[in-house]
Amino acid sequence: MTTLPGGLELRTARPSDLEQIGALLVARGEEPDALDHRLVVEGELGWDACAVVVDGDRVVSTATLLDETVRVGDVVLPAGQVELVATDTDYEGRGLVRALMGWAHERSRERGHLLQVMIGIPYFYRLFGYEYAVDIPRARALRGSLPAQDAPAASVLREATRADLPALVALQDAAQAPYDVAMPHPADRWRCLLAHEASTTRVLERDGVVVASARTGVPDEGLLVAEAAAADAAAADDLLAALRGLGEPLTIVHRPLTVPGRAWAELLEPAGTDATQYYVRLERPEIVLDALRPVLTARLRAAGLGRDVVISTFGRHYRLPWSDDAGLGPVEVGGPMQAPGVARGAGVAPDRLPALLLGQLGIEGLGRLHPDVYAPDAELFGALFPPLTADLLTYYLPW
């Protein structure tokens, strides 16, 4: 328990807080949020995953930390995601969210998370060390001029049940396999997704076997289709026909490297051009760089390159020594380095590091946009930090 100004207290949530937390989340968010919170705290994460600020017996602010994993190449990074954040309007402007974010980040460290990923309102979470880093895929309208098509009689679209979990996981694993960066749904999150009300997980059966799936939003002058996955092109076509049979105009989140993404690409209206990205927070970049050494080493070996790597964030720098046998060695952290080119290194502003390690631009693309990202040795650092494809699955759909 932590005492805050004004006699408020920040502490771990308790079962006796459930009703108040739910009411606060609904008042400041959406009706399904109360159920989503209950599903989390009554699952594997338990009540320790949630914190509240209380004024006496009154819950006036809350936040929840979810466990995630982010795969980069074949390296899996434990991660956290802050969700279900809400503050009573009478208590806004008193630093309660800042205190709760501090709690969440401390808990994230304790759980071994190397980074945090989240969806959040514009700009606000940059105040807590988050930076925009990974593109959110576009939601694109299905062309309205397409001819009507019936799903084959052997195919059945229905809501998923727990019995479908192995098939759902297998479909998403296959869908995410081509991506350089991927965040899957954790096992316990699948249980929540099947029970919550903010979206519906559907499966398509062909002759009694699940061959495709999708997650749909709440119908609102149309239907959002996200996380579509299919075993083959025929299953993708059948899934689309069945979804169209629901009778709503469809807007489809385009995952270009998946089977449905390839099958449906020519059927979608052009994407918008607004910037939409996930937030990422790296508290200790050296830990993430160290964890990624196998991936970074493999990239350099594939390019036929290999030498010590120096990355300066200007206020400090990171050196990864190279040996022909082991590749990149453990990260060595040093002090300020204003001119990394002297050490044949790259300069990367600290707030650009998340996009460098996880984003779609790579160091060359970031360098075209930001003067404080540059690499005199373009060949080596271009091989080390190329543009990456990414696919992140989140509890809430960000569209």
Side-chain angles (χ1 to χ4, degrees):
M1 184 177 294
T2 302
T3 301
L4 303 178
L8 305 181
E9 292 180 332
L10 187 157
R11 60 168 171 78
T12 302
R14 304 165 182 165
S16 58
D17 300 320
L18 181 63
E19 185 175 341
Q20 286 197 64
I21 294 172
L24 178 59
L25 290 170
V26 171
R28 300 310 313 272
E30 303 290 340
E31 189 70 30
D33 292 352
L35 173 60
D36 290 340
H37 170 264
R38 180 174 64 78
L39 291 169
V40 170
V41 296
E42 292 182 353
E44 291 181 2
L45 290 176
W47 282 94
D48 287 347
C50 179
V52 293
V53 176
V54 295
D55 186 354
D57 294 329
R58 181 183 177 190
V59 174
V60 298
S61 192
T62 186
T64 296
L65 179 73
L66 306 176
D67 285 350
E68 307 286 357
T69 57
V70 176
R71 176 184 60 76
V72 183
D74 56 3
V75 170
V76 176
L77 305 175
Q81 181 175 189
V82 182
E83 273 290 5
L84 296 164
V85 180
T87 298
D88 189 294
T89 54
D90 293 338
Y91 290 80
E92 289 183 324
R94 297 172 63 170
L96 304 190
V97 171
R98 180 172 293 278
L100 285 165
M101 294 300 290
W103 163 85
H105 296 153
E106 181 177 358
R107 174 175 167 80
S108 197
R109 286 192 297 272
E110 292 171 352
R111 295 189 65 79
H113 300 161
L114 304 189
L115 69 161
Q116 292 82 36
V117 178
M118 73 178 303
I119 307 163
I121 59 177
Y123 177 71
F124 182 67
Y125 289 95
R126 294 177 68 181
L127 299 173
F128 311 117
Y130 289 81
E131 298 297 339
Y132 290 111
V134 179
D135 285 355
I136 296 174
R138 301 289 179 179
R140 299 166 57 182
L142 185 69
R143 291 209 309 263
S145 59
L146 293 174
Q149 180 181 353
D150 295 327
S155 296
V156 176
L157 183 70
R158 59 171 175 78
E159 292 189 18
T161 69
R162 288 200 182 195
D164 299 314
L165 287 177
L168 288 166
V169 172
L171 284 167
Q172 291 301 340
D173 285 348
Q176 291 194 312
Y179 286 89
D180 301 312
V181 177
M183 188 170 82
H185 290 307
D188 191 54
R189 195 73 38 74
W190 278 110
R191 175 190 62 84
C192 298
L193 290 172
L194 295 186
H196 86 159
E197 299 170 348
S199 67
T200 301
T201 301
R202 304 176 189 270
V203 295
L204 184 82
E205 285 186 336
R206 180 200 293 155
D207 298 324
V209 177
V210 173
V211 293
S213 67
R215 189 173 164 198
T216 57
V218 177
D220 182 16
E221 298 183 0
L223 191 67
L224 176 71
V225 178
E227 300 182 8
D232 51 46
D237 291 342
D238 292 353
L239 175 62
L240 183 59
L243 289 168
R244 293 180 67 198
L246 296 176
E248 296 278 353
L250 301 182
T251 299
I252 296 173
V253 177
H254 184 48
R255 303 167 77 189
L257 303 186
T258 66
V259 173
R262 295 190 297 270
W264 303 347
E266 300 303 317
L267 308 178
L268 305 178
E269 296 287 358
T273 58
D274 56 315
T276 56
Q277 293 186 313
Y278 295 102
Y279 281 116
V280 176
R281 177 179 180 269
L282 301 180
E283 182 177 37
R284 297 186 61 189
E286 65 272 22
I287 298 178
V288 178
L289 284 168
D290 205 62
L292 291 178
R293 282 190 294 124
V295 173
L296 302 179
T297 295
R299 291 175 186 167
L300 291 182
R301 291 197 191 281
L305 303 169
R307 67 167 175 82
D308 290 4
V309 170
V310 175
I311 303 164
S312 173
T313 56
F314 307 109
R316 64 195 317 208
H317 70 277
Y318 309 94
R319 182 184 299 273
L320 291 82
W322 175 269
S323 71
D324 290 338
D325 291 337
L328 292 170
V331 177
E332 302 167 0
V333 181
M337 180 182 283
Q338 194 61 42
V342 175
R344 301 172 69 196
V348 182
D351 55 349
R352 309 297 177 201
L353 272 177
L356 179 75
L357 299 180
L358 302 174
Q360 283 85 350
L361 293 177
I363 195 166
E364 181 180 351
L366 289 170
R368 288 196 297 267
L369 296 177
H370 306 292
D372 49 12
V373 178
Y374 57 88
D377 189 340
E379 183 183 18
L380 182 132
F381 283 98
L384 197 62
F385 301 116
L388 302 176
T389 58
D391 187 77
L392 278 61
L393 304 184
T394 52
Y395 196 9
Y396 291 100
L397 298 174
W399 299 275

